Amino acid sequence: MCGIVGIIGNRVVSGRIVDALKRLEYRGYDSTGIATLIDGRIERRRAEGKLRSLEARLEREPLDGVIGIGHTRWATHGRPNETNAHPHVTDRLAVVHNGIIENFRQLRDELEGAGARFESDTDTEVVAHLISHAMSAGLDPVAAVTTILPRLRGAFALAILFQGRGDLLIGARRGSPLAVGHGEGEMFLGSDALALAPFTDMITYLDEGDIAVLSQTSLRIIDEAGSEAERPSQQIQTGAFMAEKGNFRHFMAKEIHEQPEVVARTLAHYVDMAEGVTNFPGGEGVDWTKLSRITISACGTAFYAGLVAKYWFERFARIPVEIDVASEFRYRDAPLEENGLMIVVSQSGETADTLASLRYARDNGQTILSVVNVPTSSIARESHAIAPTLAGPEIGVASTKAFTCQLTVLFALAIQAGRARGKLDAAREGALVSALMSVPALMNEAMKREPEIERLARELSKARDVLYLGRGTSYPMALEGALKLKEISYIHAEGYAAGELKHGPIALIDESVPVIVVAPHDEVFEKTISNMQEVAARGGRIILITDAKGAAAAGVETIATLVMPDVDPVVAPIVYALPIQMIAYHTAVFMGKDVDQPRNLAKSVTVE
Ligand code: M6R
């Protein structure tokens, strides 16, 4: 992960680098650092922890210079302390890096054998020494970078600043994203265009293997084969604003509350409300009628959205769906049939494992459809068709509104597929569309349970372990509930298919383990309730999330029953996501955790 930024400018850059790093903190926040050239000499400031520590340091020890690089880190090699913070320097250069150099150990041994002295435990420092070494052998900076990059295995985006060279900044990418920004007499490098939004909206995306050689007024690109290359520049619309919390205490709370609005916006993109049918603007590249199979690949919460969608595609369109977490899919050499479609789901569009799965599937002849929230992301750019989620920037590390927008899009696409394949008639399509259209209002209703959830959170905060159960589309919701709770409250939580409980996990049940049962009154409700009875019989303390009918029919003692509005069970996951998110949020807040930036996590996971 990590965020990198570089500015070759005509006025002091340190404040602007910090500003860009603020926008990149979603990539990691273990430590931060910045280096600039002052009178041709590299000066740096680094700090452990979040960006505010670096800001405090810069207040005490300001940094001048009109050219510089900056970094916000998510530790991979070496503890998150100041010594391991980027930039890493030699007497010739400073470098910031996003990615992992897989063969760093071997390179480090070789460099140490040649006399290099390492300061940190990072993989990045080998890049600094390799370039330095090549320069000592007489190569100029561009030739040195070009020569050493083929020796690196793994993924990287780099920004490199050279001692005595106020006219030169070099960027390079392979596997990790890097964008070049064009300003007025200034040029920029950034992990994404959003980081550069306050400075410019004119962006050039580098291709795999590209090296970018920047001066204040020019950009030269050298491709992987060593040839001069042209890449198109484009005006992008990220908006220079930084998302604000408004009246909310945390971004996560704001994003939970935004859901009725963003889901309404998203569904309006896919539904012709007057006709009661679904649309797929930009979906010309996808021919649903010819598909033999759909493969869905994603990570974390996006994977759970895909897992819900499997039920929808199979039910509405009768297409077999295979789904796997991207980190497994990409390495298991999965056979892929002709006429297959891969759907990748990603909020950031930069998740390394998901991107690698996409490339594997594309290389194996699959049509790629991405459900993404960032339309300029690598995943979006490498897909044959894009189905955007219109959730707006999601800042909280825990995914909330992106998830419900992913579900909304996937539901609409499953209807599309069903109609195209002749598996849904107009009446059924109309009924499904109207169920989808009812979701935003029902979300507003569901939000009214928040005061009860806040009270319940006090109880949950005492638990060491929490189980979540669900059947059918509520099973992925149980998995999502458990993920959400553990990632922000650090309480151990597991989600299970309710019917699977008796095959092992039931051994965990006693009065100290709250069991959260997700059970709208649907066709599997009674089965779920039987499993809930089994929990109750063993002294388990149950929290039931259901609707009025379900609450009346359950007949089991609970410590709390959260009554959701009546919702067509087919869209229940989109509405039931809200209490699940609010439970995690309020529990974590009650426990005093850093809800928006939980420990060890980052918003965008660009390493394997
Ligand atoms: O950006 P992506 O949707 O590809 O990210 C996938 C996961 O890293 C992400 O959903 C993660 O699981 C969230 N922190 C969960 O809240």
Side-chain angles (χ1 to χ4, degrees):
M1 273 98 84
C2 310
I4 68 177
V5 62
I7 305 180
I8 177 162
N10 47 29
R11 58 198 167 92
V12 172
V13 291
S14 58
R16 290 187 290 158
I17 290 177
V18 167
D19 193 17
L21 290 178
K22 277 187 190 145
R23 296 164 165 268
L24 290 172
E25 246 190 330
Y26 71 88
R27 291 177 160 266
Y29 35 77
D30 291 340
S31 63
T32 51
I34 168 170
T36 62
L37 274 194
I38 300 175
D39 298 330
R41 288 179 54 80
I42 291 171
E43 290 278 341
R44 72 177 162 172
R45 306 281 183 269
R46 297 180 297 168
E48 187 176 324
K50 294 188 181 171
L51 196 55
R52 56 179 172 264
S53 313
L54 180 69
E55 287 182 285
R57 176 97 196 259
L58 283 166
E59 255 171 48
R60 293 194 305 274
E61 301 166 66
L63 206 52
D64 285 339
V66 296
I67 174 170
I69 54 178
H71 189 266
T72 180
R73 178 171 189 244
W74 185 83
T76 60
H77 297 62
R79 295 180 65 77
N81 54 26
E82 186 175 328
T83 312
N84 289 326
H86 299 214
H88 291 286
V89 297
T90 66
D91 55 358
R92 292 180 179 276
L93 59 96
V95 63
V96 288
H97 166 219
N98 165 31
I100 291 181
I101 309 300
E102 288 168 1
N103 56 338
F104 93 100
R105 175 50 58 199
Q106 173 200 333
L107 293 169
R108 181 167 171 150
D109 289 349
E110 177 191 313
L111 287 158
E112 282 179 330
R117 290 197 38 217
F118 280 75
E119 282 180 352
S120 75
D121 304 317
T122 65
D123 52 341
T124 305
E125 208 181 342
V126 299
V127 181
H129 284 288
L130 275 176
I131 301 171
S132 248
H133 202 69
M135 288 175 71
S136 300
L139 296 181
D140 66 38
V142 176
V145 172
T146 315
T147 308
I148 69 101
L149 289 187
R151 299 205 60 203
L152 305 180
R153 271 208 324 265
F156 54 79
L158 302 165
I160 313 156
L161 175 72
F162 294 88
Q163 187 102 324
R165 291 295 306 267
D167 58 343
L168 176 70
L169 196 60
I170 296 185
R173 71 156 290 205
R174 190 205 298 155
S176 304
L178 191 61
V180 178
H182 302 254
E184 294 285 321
E186 304 191 293
M187 298 286 280
F188 309 91
L189 285 170
S191 292
D192 66 27
L194 190 69
L196 306 181
F199 320 134
T200 179
D201 59 358
M202 190 54 74
I203 296 292
T204 302
Y205 288 102
L206 298 179
D207 275 4
E208 274 293 275
D210 280 354
I211 297 172
V213 182
L214 276 61
S215 75
Q216 278 81 356
T217 52
S218 68
L219 165 65
R220 185 180 151 215
I221 295 177
I222 303 165
D223 69 14
E224 203 158 19
S227 309
E228 301 285 328
E230 296 280 331
R231 307 283 175 230
S233 302
Q234 47 185 295
Q235 198 153 18
I236 47 127
Q237 294 176 341
T238 49
F241 68 92
M242 184 74 187
E244 301 288 349
K245 274 185 253 186
N247 292 331
F248 292 94
R249 207 168 142 194
H250 301 101
F251 279 109
M252 185 178 174
K254 172 175 174 260
E255 288 159 5
I256 288 173
H257 283 263
E258 273 173 3
Q259 289 178 104
E261 192 189 326
V262 295
V263 164
R265 185 164 72 202
T266 299
L267 77 83
H269 188 74
Y270 294 92
V271 167
D272 178 335
M273 306 220 184
E275 299 293 324
V277 295
T278 52
N279 288 322
F280 180 13
E284 297 75 28
V286 180
D287 184 350
W288 301 106
T289 59
K290 294 215 174 74
L291 294 184
S292 54
R293 169 180 295 273
I294 294 174
T295 308
I296 302 179
S297 196
C299 301
T301 289
F303 172 73
Y304 298 141
L307 208 49
V308 175
K310 173 183 165 71
Y311 290 79
W312 289 333
F313 276 103
E314 292 188 340
R315 187 171 297 177
F316 306 161
R318 311 304 298 160
I319 312 179
V321 177
E322 199 213 334
I323 171 155
D324 201 354
V325 287
S327 52
E328 287 302 314
F329 175 79
R330 60 176 300 195
Y331 288 117
R332 73 180 161 81
D333 200 13
L336 294 168
E337 292 171 23
E338 236 179 278
N339 295 326
L341 174 74
M342 169 169 267
I343 302 182
V344 294
V345 188
S346 176
Q347 187 285 128
S348 62
E350 300 294 351
T351 302
D353 287 314
T354 311
L355 185 57
S357 291
L358 176 161
R359 289 178 179 156
Y360 173 84
R362 202 187 48 197
D363 293 347
N364 282 277
Q366 306 294 288
T367 301
I368 310 294
L369 166 59
S370 59
V371 177
V372 276
N373 199 37
V374 182
T376 51
S377 61
S378 304
I379 286 178
R381 283 182 287 121
E382 295 194 24
S383 300
H384 298 112
I386 307 168
T389 47
L390 305 175
E394 191 180 66
I395 309 293
V397 163
S399 187
T400 52
K401 62 176 181 169
F403 176 62
T404 44
C405 287
Q406 286 160 354
L407 291 174
T408 302
V409 172
L410 289 162
F411 187 83
L413 293 178
I415 300 174
Q416 279 266 311
R419 184 184 64 205
R421 294 167 72 84
K423 305 294 179 194
L424 291 180
D425 59 21
R428 180 71 179 132
E429 177 173 13
L432 291 172
V433 166
S434 99
L436 185 59
M437 283 168 56
S438 70
V439 165
L442 293 170
M443 284 178 137
N444 275 321
E445 283 299 305
M447 213 77 85
K448 293 186 182 154
R449 301 279 78 80
E450 191 160 16
E452 284 159 67
I453 292 174
E454 222 174 320
R455 285 194 292 276
L456 185 62
R458 290 163 190 260
E459 184 70 21
L460 283 172
S461 66
K462 296 179 207 139
R464 209 188 58 181
D465 308 286
V466 177
L467 292 185
Y468 286 75
L469 302 180
R471 266 180 191 260
T473 51
S474 296
Y475 163 48
M477 299 311 290
L479 295 171
E480 168 62 2
L483 173 64
K484 212 89 299 167
L485 185 69
K486 66 187 146 198
E487 79 175 321
I488 59 171
S489 75
Y490 319 143
I491 294 174
H492 171 244
E494 295 299 334
Y496 285 101
E500 192 61 15
L501 193 69
K502 54 191 173 295
H503 298 289
I506 200 162
L508 297 173
I509 305 292
D510 64 23
E511 44 302 326
S512 72
V513 182
V515 180
I516 300 180
V517 182
V518 186
H521 196 271
D522 57 13
E523 72 276 13
V524 288
F525 177 78
E526 282 177 9
K527 302 275 175 212
T528 310
I529 294 307
S530 303
N531 303 131
M532 204 167 93
Q533 295 279 12
E534 293 153 12
V535 171
R538 286 156 183 86
R541 292 183 308 141
I542 295 161
I543 295 158
L544 176 61
I545 310 178
T546 186
D547 45 34
K549 254 198 214 157
V556 176
E557 198 183 323
T558 64
I559 55 168
T561 299
L562 297 174
V563 181
M564 294 292 106
D566 280 340
V567 44
D568 185 328
V570 80
V571 288
I574 320 181
V575 178
Y576 279 55
L578 267 61
I580 279 168
Q581 296 163 353
M582 290 192 286
I583 285 172
Y585 173 75
H586 285 292
T587 306
V589 169
F590 186 73
M591 294 170 81
K593 304 297 184 206
D594 187 344
V595 169
D596 283 334
Q597 294 186 327
R599 71 182 181 205
N600 302 340
L601 289 171
K603 182 72 181 157
S604 176
V605 185
T606 56
V607 295
E608 287 178 35

